[in-house]
Amino acid sequence: LGQIDGVLESCIEKYPPKKGKHSHLIQATLRTGVAQLLFLDTPPFAANKETVQVLRMHHHLSKTSTYPVPEPMVKFVNGVFRKLSEPLAADIDEMSTDDDIPKQLFGHQLLRESTTSKDNIAPWLLKRWENDWGDDLATLICEEMMPVDESSFTPRIDLSTKYSLGVVLKKQDDEGMMQQMLEELGGDSTLLSQGSIRVGPSLKGDVK
C-alpha cells in the first residue's frame, strides 16, 4: 500500500481521513480505486464509477439504525478520482477520438514523482536489506517486485516474487540463458515477463 498511499497523500491535503463513522470505508475505497486505476489498468471511468457506487451502496450499521455515507463524502471521493484520472497534456495530443482511453494520467505522474518501489516494503525489512546487501541491491529487489510495463510505464503487481541475493546476482546470466533457449526453440516461442518460456505452436504435440 506504500505507493498507493503516497499518491493519495500527494493528491489530498489531509490523508488518511479523520476518524469517524465512515473514515475506514473512505480510505479503503480510495486505496482500491487507486489500485484499479494505476496498477490494474482499469479504464478511468470504470474505476471511478465502481468506487463511487460502493460508497453509495454502503450503510454504516449500528444497534438501532443504519447511516448512509454522506453525499459530500461521496462527492469528495469522486473529485479525487476525477483529478487522478486527468490525462497528461502529451497524451491528450495523441488521442484521436473522445473514446480513446489515455495511457498516462495525472495519477501516473504522481506515482513516478512522489513514490518509489521502496515505499511498498516495511521500513524494518528495507533497513535490514540495506544493511546486509547495500542500497543498490536493496533497490533492485524492490524494483523487481514492482516491474514496469515498458509499453505503458505502469507498474505491474507481482505477488509471486521470492528473491534471494543469489537470484538477484544471477539475473543477467539467467536472462542470457533464457534468450539462448528461446532461439533454439524457434521463432514462434515467447519469453514471458516472469522469466518462463511459452512454447510456440510449431513445437506443441506429443512429448518425445
Side-chain angles (χ1 to χ4, degrees):
L1 294 176
Q3 286 185 281
I4 291 175
D5 282 341
V7 168
L8 290 169
E9 287 171 0
S10 300
C11 186
I12 302 173
E13 185 175 349
K14 294 182 180 180
Y15 180 86
K18 292 182 178 180
K19 291 184 178 179
K21 293 178 182 177
H22 306 286
S23 59
H24 293 300
L25 175 65
I26 297 298
Q27 185 176 25
T29 51
L30 285 170
R31 284 171 164 175
T32 302
V34 169
Q36 291 185 77
L37 187 67
L38 303 183
F39 292 90
L40 302 177
D41 291 332
T42 304
F45 67 87
N48 190 3
K49 181 179 178 181
E50 290 177 5
T51 303
V52 171
Q53 281 183 340
V54 166
L55 290 177
R56 289 205 165 112
M57 292 170 59
H58 181 83
H59 284 64
H60 178 79
L61 303 178
S62 71
K63 292 182 180 179
T64 58
S65 59
T66 62
Y67 301 91
V69 177
E71 188 62 22
M73 289 188 177
V74 176
K75 290 182 177 180
F76 164 74
V77 171
N78 183 54
V80 169
F81 280 99
R82 285 186 177 275
K83 180 65 176 177
L84 292 175
S85 300
E86 290 179 358
L88 299 181
D91 212 32
I92 293 177
D93 295 338
E94 297 179 1
M95 295 169 62
S96 58
T97 69
D98 293 338
D99 295 330
D100 285 349
I101 298 176
K103 294 181 179 179
Q104 288 296 293
L105 310 174
F106 177 64
H108 290 123
Q109 180 177 323
L110 291 181
L111 187 67
R112 290 193 301 271
E113 297 178 356
S114 304
T115 74
T116 71
S117 56
K118 288 185 176 182
D119 296 336
N120 302 311
I121 307 301
W124 67 267
L125 180 58
L126 179 60
K127 185 176 180 179
R128 178 175 294 181
W129 287 351
E130 291 173 342
N131 290 339
D132 290 347
W133 300 333
D135 291 345
D136 291 342
L137 280 177
T139 299
L140 178 58
I141 293 172
C142 296
E143 290 175 349
E144 287 296 326
M145 289 182 173
M146 297 295 294
V148 175
D149 184 347
E150 295 181 358
S151 64
S152 63
F153 302 101
T154 301
R156 302 190 315 273
I157 298 177
D158 183 1
L159 300 178
S160 64
T161 305
K162 303 291 186 296
Y163 274 109
S164 65
L165 177 60
V167 171
V168 174
L169 294 177
K170 288 176 56 183
K171 185 175 189 310
Q172 291 184 342
D173 290 340
D174 289 346
E175 288 179 349
M177 182 181 67
M178 295 297 287
Q179 192 62 42
Q180 182 179 354
M181 290 177 60
L182 183 66
E183 294 175 357
E184 293 175 355
L185 289 172
D188 57 353
S189 296
T190 306
L191 180 61
L192 303 179
S193 59
Q194 69 268 28
S196 60
I197 291 178
R198 177 181 293 149
V199 176
S202 62
L203 293 176
K204 291 183 179 179
D206 297 334
V207 177
K208 298 181 181 179

